[in-house]
């Protein structure tokens, strides 16, 4: 059996408390609801929640964080250790930060904050430095309480990031990531604030912040939409989320913890982001952070439009036009996954479809097995496809120049590849985005399987 990946979570901790009940009346002396208390529960918050989620993912987790010596700090340590997290406490300045949410009928009525901010006192200990040195990955879970601003911490993380994996989950009140992070994971609002571009889309923000922070990759999370990731090579990747109804509290922590554990296990950046999006969707559907209060591991497995240039050959309508292209000779699950993800990037999707002659020149004399008319009709039967345009050239550049979409998408198998049409798309202000590719799915593989079956 392979050993469990070693992960260190470093950051700011707090104690979350939920007071839940029901409301049937208001105060006689003020227009305020009266909550009849039914349940009270506590759980680690901030970096503590992130550490619990990573432990439930199967990692060997050490939390390095300032912890108070007050009753709330001791309760926090007990909850973490009960969830399988090894705790390396650092010096803590001030009382433990506590966030108390009063809830009724599943809705928060008020949140009361006390204690904190609990800044780091005395820098890193020798035990903490050894943990950072020997971990397969380090996840910085910043909650703006000052840990990421400490000079000793930043120096240790900078040394670490030069050689091994550091994932950084930033906070608006926290310090910038150190140079060389494997992935930085801001949400869309944080990314827009840090980049200073209030209306920019996720892929543009990811690319800009990757350069600004000198990171190896930046993944901008967009909640129920998914995440955009930019690396130092190739075009940005969009990983769509599965629709999930539930409490999104803690979803960002779930995303960061899953990405860090995946990288610690040797996954590629794109694989880690796709896996993290899936885990965050499951987490929300399972009840979010609130579901952890009763049992620390219970929920973990489950854990503005850009301006475009008008063009007379474009379909009528408003919004963001997305285009993708291909032969789509024998439609399969990989095609459907790509098309659904592409449609999720905008308001309409046009498929640029290779003509029969174009497919024949690209694939050989036995292809296509389905005519262009049949392939177009099949594609138009999908709810995610709004229109199909057939082109006869060997590549889609002429068709793209006529259509001029806002976004041109390609499958993730083109990661790190130079796309000949990329500069053309950018010439009118368009963007190129890569989408997840399901390995092992292709029309050629389907046809080979059919052929083998015919001769068995």
């Amino acid at each position: 059996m392979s050993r469990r990946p070693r992960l260190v979570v470093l950051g700011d901790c707090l104690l979350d408390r939920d007071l839940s009940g029901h409301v049937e009346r208001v105060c006689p002396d003020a227009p305020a609801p009266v909550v009849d208390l039914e349940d009270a529960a506590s759980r680690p918050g901030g970096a503590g929640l992130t550490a619990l989620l990573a432990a439930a993912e199967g990692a060997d987790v050490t939390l390095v964080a300032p912890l108070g010596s007050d009753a709330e700090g001791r309760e926090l340590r007990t909850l973490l250790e009960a969830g399988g997290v090894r705790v390396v406490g650092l010096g803590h300045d001030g009382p433990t930060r506590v966030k108390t949410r009063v809830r009724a009928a599943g809705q928060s009525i008020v949140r009361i904050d006390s204690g904190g901010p609990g800044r780091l006192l005395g820098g890193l200990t020798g035990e903490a430095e050894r943990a950072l040195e020997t971990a397969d990955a380090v996840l910085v879970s910043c909650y703006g309480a000052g840990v990421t601003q400490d000079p000793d911490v930043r120096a240790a993380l900078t040394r670490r990031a030069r050689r091994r994996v550091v994932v950084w989950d930033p906070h608006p009140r926290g310090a910038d990531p150190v140079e060389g992070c494997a992935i930085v994971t801001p949400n869309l609002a944080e990314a827009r604030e840090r980049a200073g571009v209030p209306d920019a889309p996720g892929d543009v923000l990811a690319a800009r912040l990757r350069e600004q922070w000198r990171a190896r990759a930046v993944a901008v999370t967009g909640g129920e939409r998914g995440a955009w990731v930019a690396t130092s090579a190739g075009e940005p990747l969009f990983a769509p989320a599965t629709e999930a109804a539930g409490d999104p509290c803690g979803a960002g922590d779930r995303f960061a913890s899953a990405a860090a554990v995946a990288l610690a296990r040797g996954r590629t950046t794109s694989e880690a982001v796709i896996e993290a999006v899936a885990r965050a969707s499951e987490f929300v559907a399972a009840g979010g952070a609130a579901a952890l209060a009763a049992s620390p591991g219970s929920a973990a497995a489950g854990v503005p439009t850009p301006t475009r240039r008008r063009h007379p050959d474009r379909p009528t309508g408003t919004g963001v036009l997305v285009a993708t292209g291909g032969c789509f000779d024998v439609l399969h699950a990989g095609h459907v996954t790509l098309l659904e993800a592409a449609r999720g990037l905008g308001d309409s999707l046009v498929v640029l479809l290779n003509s029969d002659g174009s497919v024949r020149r690209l694939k050989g004399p036995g292809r296509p097995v389905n005519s262009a008319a049949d392939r177009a009709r099949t594609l138009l039967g999908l709810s995610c496809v709004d229109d199909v345009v057939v082109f006869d050239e060997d590549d889609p550049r002429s068709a793209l120049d006529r259509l001029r979409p806002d976004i041109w998408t390609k499958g993730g198998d083109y990661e790190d590849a130079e796309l000949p049409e990329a500069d053309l798309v950018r010439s009118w202000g368009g963007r190129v985005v890569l989408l997840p590719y399901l390995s092992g799915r292709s029309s050629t593989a389907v046809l080979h399987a059919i052929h083998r079956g015919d001769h068995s």
Side-chain angles (χ1 to χ4, degrees), residues 154-178:
R154 294 190 67 80
L157 291 172
T158 299
R159 292 191 298 270
R160 165 82 198 196
R162 292 190 187 117
R163 299 177 290 107
R164 304 184 73 179
V165 172
V166 173
V167 177
W168 195 293
D169 190 16
H171 189 277
R173 295 192 301 273
D176 281 348
V178 299

Side-chain angles (χ1 to χ4, degrees), residues 221-271:
T221 59
E224 69 277 4
R225 296 188 65 186
W228 299 263
V229 59
T231 65
S232 57
E235 303 293 345
L237 173 76
F238 175 64
T242 302
E243 184 176 348
D247 185 354
C249 179
D253 300 300
R254 186 70 186 99
F255 178 92
S257 65
V261 172
L263 290 177
R265 286 177 169 146
R267 306 284 197 272
T268 66
T269 299
S270 58
E271 288 171 338

Side-chain angles (χ1 to χ4, degrees), residues 180-397:
C181 288
I183 305 181
V184 185
T185 63
N187 64 36
L188 193 56
E190 293 165 347
R192 285 172 171 163
E193 180 179 340
R194 292 295 186 101
V197 187
D199 296 326
D203 54 303
V204 172
L205 291 167
R208 180 172 298 196
L209 288 174
R210 192 202 65 76
E211 294 182 1
Q212 179 176 315
W213 287 330
R214 297 183 179 179
R216 282 180 269 170
V218 168
V220 175
T221 59
E224 69 277 4
R225 296 188 65 186
W228 299 263
V229 59
T231 65
S232 57
E235 303 293 345
L237 173 76
F238 175 64
T242 302
E243 184 176 348
D247 185 354
C249 179
D253 300 300
R254 186 70 186 99
F255 178 92
S257 65
V261 172
L263 290 177
R265 286 177 169 146
R267 306 284 197 272
T268 66
T269 299
S270 58
E271 288 171 338
V273 170
I274 292 166
E275 188 168 324
V277 168
R279 294 290 181 269
S281 295
E282 294 166 0
F283 178 74
V284 171
L292 290 173
S295 174
S298 62
V303 226
T305 303
T307 301
R308 61 178 173 87
R309 180 178 298 180
R310 300 285 182 180
H311 192 278
D313 287 344
R314 293 175 60 144
T316 58
T318 60
V320 177
L321 176 62
V322 184
T324 192
C327 300
F328 298 97
D329 192 8
V330 178
L331 202 65
H332 53 74
H335 289 144
V336 175
T337 298
L338 183 144
L339 293 168
E340 289 177 338
R343 183 60 176 79
L345 287 171
D347 301 292
S348 58
L349 172 65
V350 175
V351 177
L352 301 185
L353 184 67
N354 294 74
S355 70
D356 293 346
S358 177
V359 174
R360 196 170 297 114
R361 291 190 297 273
L362 290 170
K363 304 289 187 180
R367 304 282 296 276
V369 296
N370 291 298
S371 68
D374 285 350
R375 288 181 282 131
R377 178 66 187 86
T378 302
L379 289 167
L380 287 169
L382 300 176
S383 61
C384 56
V385 176
D386 297 287
D387 201 4
V388 175
V389 174
V390 179
F391 66 95
D392 195 50
E393 297 84 1
D394 291 342
D395 69 60
R397 279 177 286 187

